[in-house]
Amino acid sequence: MIPSPASLDRIFTTLKQLRFVVLGDFCLDAYFFLNQQLSEISIETGLNTLAVASMRFTPGGAGNVAANLSAMGATRVHALGVVGDDLYGREYLRLLSRQGIDTSDLLIQADHWQTCVYSKLYDGERELPRIDMGRTNRLTPASAHALLTRLNRLLPQADVVLINQQLQNGIHGPILKSGLAAAIDRHSDIVWLLDAREEIDAYPGTIRKLNHEEAVKAAALEGRAHDPQTEATVRRAADALFRRWGTPFCITRGARGGLCRDAAGNHLIPGLHFTTKLDTVGAGDSIFAGLAAGLAADLALPEALGFATLVAGVTIQKQMQTGTASEGEIRALARDPDFNYRPEAAAAPERAVLHGASEIEIVADPPLSSTIT
């Protein structure tokens, strides 16, 4: 469901009025573009060097969520998390501040913490094995308590809180989880959203965003009969998870769109169709930020996910970057979107039912009053 022009106006107006807090795992995406013609033999090792012709740094993880909110027009976005006392942490703070994001509550933990960095090396358009930093981090009790103190200070003025959990060794340890769950319970007037890879059950009272594979795994559906790509499996997973949580949530399905589940049942959102090359890195963050923007403007959940689909539709067209979407870019896509209709039928051409001797595939029975010429 694509938002109406009136709904888009309400979203972009609301973004400028409300206060958003993004709490989560702040990761930096570092892109290094190689030029092998500049490679030389290292005197010390005798091995060929990898020559970097250019590089680019963009916020990832919770930082990309905050950056998307800011790019859409949110003027009061607070980042709450941890970076290391290193050059990548300092660059992260600079990037977020440059985008108008309040970084005063981003903690710097000097010991047992490296800024999480995903280093991506490109040889032309071919991506080489990624180099990850920050995989052995350990949040100290002092940092966990400091995060909760800062969160509780922000909550009386907060309208929307987005919780991101991306890292196994990130900020979501026992101390933070306990304190955060209590804060959610105390502040039920706030819109709380959760995007978690491992901690999907940790925070009751949130509106969860998960992808189809995470949903099938969380619902404990196993075996070949439960292909996470199919609509039937996603519906089955959604029903099982709603029985468990009893609160609304959204499941994203990539090019196949998404599904919202609430007390009224399942609501399918079509996916956008593109013929150009796409880069889906960071698409989940864009969806998450777009969903928060839609819900902050009091859109119904399906319409909010439709708006989020537009946000991600803009960012996935941007190559070799996490990417953000501006108001102008979102409005342009909303004016003339193309959709993937019946994607499961399109993915199985061997099962196509054609009209007579033509190449026209019949994907649904026409009404009895219709005629085909």
Side-chain angles (χ1 to χ4, degrees):
M1 177 186 298
I2 295 299
S4 66
S7 292
L8 290 176
D9 291 342
R10 189 160 78 246
I11 290 169
F12 292 117
T13 298
T14 301
L15 278 167
K16 296 176 175 63
Q17 298 172 340
L18 301 186
R19 189 183 301 272
F20 297 83
V21 176
V22 181
L23 166 66
D25 295 319
F26 284 79
C27 307
L28 185 69
D29 284 87
Y31 292 83
F32 299 96
F33 302 98
L34 306 180
N35 183 341
Q36 295 297 65
Q37 293 181 346
L38 302 177
S39 176
E40 61 183 15
I41 303 296
S42 168
I43 296 175
E44 293 79 10
T45 66
L47 301 175
N48 286 321
T49 62
L50 297 177
V52 176
S54 63
M55 54 188 173
R56 179 170 64 234
F57 301 97
T58 59
N64 192 34
V65 177
N68 269 274
L69 287 168
S70 179
M72 284 187 282
T75 56
R76 292 184 291 177
V77 181
H78 295 262
L80 185 55
V82 180
V83 296
D85 186 13
D86 48 47
L87 63 91
Y88 290 112
R90 290 186 283 276
E91 175 65 8
Y92 212 142
L93 294 172
R94 187 188 70 83
L95 286 173
L96 294 181
S97 297
R98 192 174 66 181
Q99 296 183 53
I101 297 164
D102 189 331
T103 63
S104 58
D105 291 307
L106 264 181
L107 296 177
I108 298 175
Q109 181 176 306
D111 298 322
H112 311 297
W113 197 277
Q114 296 177 337
T115 301
C116 172
V117 182
Y118 298 126
S119 298
K120 304 174 183 184
L121 283 67
Y122 281 88
D123 184 5
E125 295 186 356
R126 182 172 67 96
E127 184 175 357
L128 303 182
R130 200 175 70 194
I131 302 172
D132 291 353
M133 304 177 192
R135 299 298 296 273
T136 60
N137 286 343
R138 187 172 77 251
L139 189 71
T140 64
S143 291
H145 287 297
L147 286 174
L148 290 172
T149 298
R150 295 180 183 213
L151 174 66
N152 288 321
R153 178 173 47 78
L154 289 170
L155 288 180
Q157 291 80 41
D159 299 290
V160 182
V161 179
L162 298 89
I163 304 168
N164 155 281
Q165 182 270 312
Q166 184 159 339
L167 304 173
Q168 288 184 334
N169 296 320
I171 67 170
H172 292 271
I175 294 174
L176 185 77
K177 284 196 291 186
S178 176
L180 180 52
I184 294 169
D185 189 56
R186 287 196 309 272
H187 294 271
S188 58
D189 56 317
I190 293 175
V191 178
W192 296 87
L193 297 98
L194 174 65
D195 184 6
R197 293 189 176 180
E198 284 87 22
E199 301 291 349
I200 196 66
D201 285 305
Y203 302 113
T206 58
I207 297 172
R208 296 170 171 90
K209 191 280 291 182
L210 60 167
N211 65 38
H212 60 278
E213 292 182 345
E214 291 166 341
V216 171
K217 180 181 178 181
L221 301 182
E222 300 177 354
R224 294 174 62 88
H226 299 298
D227 179 356
Q229 290 284 339
T230 66
E231 178 185 323
T233 296
V234 174
R235 285 180 177 272
R236 203 170 297 125
D239 291 340
L241 293 174
F242 190 78
R243 287 192 296 270
R244 185 158 93 211
W245 295 329
T247 53
F249 57 88
C250 294
I251 300 173
T252 60
R253 305 180 63 211
R256 299 190 181 196
L259 178 146
C260 297
R261 183 60 162 90
D262 57 20
N266 293 313
H267 312 274
L268 284 177
I269 308 299
L272 294 170
H273 177 72
F274 299 99
T275 57
T276 55
K277 184 177 179 180
L278 304 176
D279 185 342
T280 60
V281 172
D285 301 328
S286 300
I287 288 272
F288 194 40
L291 186 63
L295 292 174
D298 291 326
L299 267 63
L301 192 59
E303 193 175 13
L305 183 57
F307 175 74
T309 301
L310 289 176
V311 178
V314 171
T315 63
I316 63 176
Q317 297 182 73
K318 300 181 179 182
Q319 302 297 308
M320 299 179 186
Q321 57 181 295
T322 48
T324 58
S326 68
E327 176 181 346
E329 291 171 321
I330 296 167
R331 286 187 183 274
L333 182 57
R335 282 193 290 269
D336 188 27
D338 294 320
F339 298 100
N340 286 321
Y341 180 68
R342 298 290 296 272
E344 291 180 35
E350 71 280 359
R351 296 202 296 269
V353 177
L354 304 179
H355 173 59
S358 73
E359 296 182 354
I360 300 173
E361 181 179 359
I362 300 173
V363 295
D365 293 330
L368 294 176
S369 59
S370 299
T371 58
I372 300 176
T373 59

